[in-house]
Amino acid sequence: MATYVLIHGAAADSWYWGPLAAELRDRGHEVIAPDLPCEDESAGLAEYADAVVGAIGDRTELVVVAHSFGGFTGPLVCARVPVDLLVMLQAQIPAPGETPGAWWDNTGYGAARQEADRRRGVPEGTEEDPVTLYLHDTPATLAAELMAEHQRTQAAAPFNEPWPLDAWPQVPTRALLSAGDRFFPVEFMRRVTVERLGIEPDELPGDHMPMLGHPKELAERLEAYRAAL
């Protein structure tokens, strides 16, 4: 039995891991999905990692899954506790010393997103509805619940802190991309993954929240990664 540690992204809580957590528990695993202190203006990346490490306690056989902005926290956890596998799920990949706020320009996100939007036929300057942008492949009831009950204010503090590691932690790492994500276009994410981690990412169907729209497929991918260790 493994313990899956699920790290959520910005401006949300851990609720959105629910369907994936159920799939993993059905397979006999323990699941930890802590809420990060994203509304706390005094909490930075160290405090985000503290929240996860505290939830882990003395558990072992850890598989850490970091989603979106959780990509800045996941490797910090791996540097502090023994982890068998780190999976970067449509996650931001930090560079040593880089602030999360600088990540967007450093990776060329703006131009990549504009090109992806152009290919989709989105007029330049259009502000898309969040459901259309993030949740177009998520069941409507889950998308509505997420937007109505689980959006949180995101404090600015962690975006101004340099990522503190000198190098990527010594842990087996896989990258898994969501092929239909309109917020983090897959071509952009593939390039950043190769440039920053030197590994080719895999893909599964879905939007920015594949754990809601494709929990079974995601669980199967995670289990395949774990079995291949």
Side-chain angles (χ1 to χ4, degrees):
M1 182 184 77
T3 296
Y4 279 89
V5 182
L6 310 180
I7 303 176
H8 68 77
D13 61 27
S14 61
W15 171 87
Y16 69 65
W17 290 115
L20 174 63
E23 290 283 345
L24 294 172
R25 289 185 178 117
D26 284 347
R27 290 164 169 79
H29 302 299
E30 185 172 8
V31 178
I32 299 169
D35 285 328
L36 303 182
C38 66
E39 294 176 312
D40 186 349
E41 288 292 350
S42 68
L45 295 174
E47 286 73 25
Y48 283 40
D50 287 345
V52 180
V53 171
I56 291 171
D58 59 0
R59 294 173 177 85
T60 58
E61 298 185 53
L62 304 176
V63 178
V64 172
V65 183
H67 174 243
S68 196
F69 182 54
F72 277 87
T73 300
L76 302 183
V77 174
C78 295
R80 292 177 53 180
V81 297
V83 171
D84 293 340
L85 175 67
L86 170 62
V87 180
M88 301 290 279
L89 175 62
Q90 203 65 0
Q92 293 174 267
I93 299 170
E98 180 178 64
T99 66
W103 180 89
W104 310 87
D105 285 342
N106 291 349
T107 57
Y109 171 79
R113 171 71 186 282
Q114 285 181 353
E115 174 58 22
D117 287 351
R118 185 193 64 77
R119 290 198 302 269
R120 288 198 293 122
V122 178
E124 187 173 351
T126 299
E127 185 173 347
E128 288 193 72
D129 177 83
V131 173
T132 301
L133 182 60
Y134 299 101
L135 300 164
H136 59 90
D137 196 41
T138 295
T141 55
L142 294 179
E145 186 171 356
L146 175 63
M147 296 303 299
E149 301 182 26
H150 299 282
Q151 294 294 287
R152 297 168 65 187
T153 300
Q154 176 59 56
F159 290 90
N160 300 317
E161 291 187 0
W163 195 63
L165 298 186
D166 294 330
W168 202 255
Q170 294 297 308
V171 58
T173 301
R174 302 295 295 265
L176 184 55
L177 306 182
S178 197
D181 191 348
R182 295 170 178 172
F183 179 59
F184 283 164
V186 67
E187 297 89 351
F188 161 73
M189 294 296 286
R190 179 173 293 278
R191 172 178 61 78
V192 173
T193 301
V194 172
E195 290 176 353
R196 294 200 164 192
L197 292 181
I199 61 175
E200 283 287 343
D202 299 312
E203 292 183 25
L204 81 165
D207 52 30
H208 192 62
M209 311 296 283
M211 67 291 292
L212 290 175
H214 297 273
K216 182 176 181 180
E217 295 97 320
L218 177 51
E220 290 171 351
R221 292 294 190 105
L222 297 175
E223 284 287 83
Y225 290 159
R226 191 177 64 86
L229 289 173

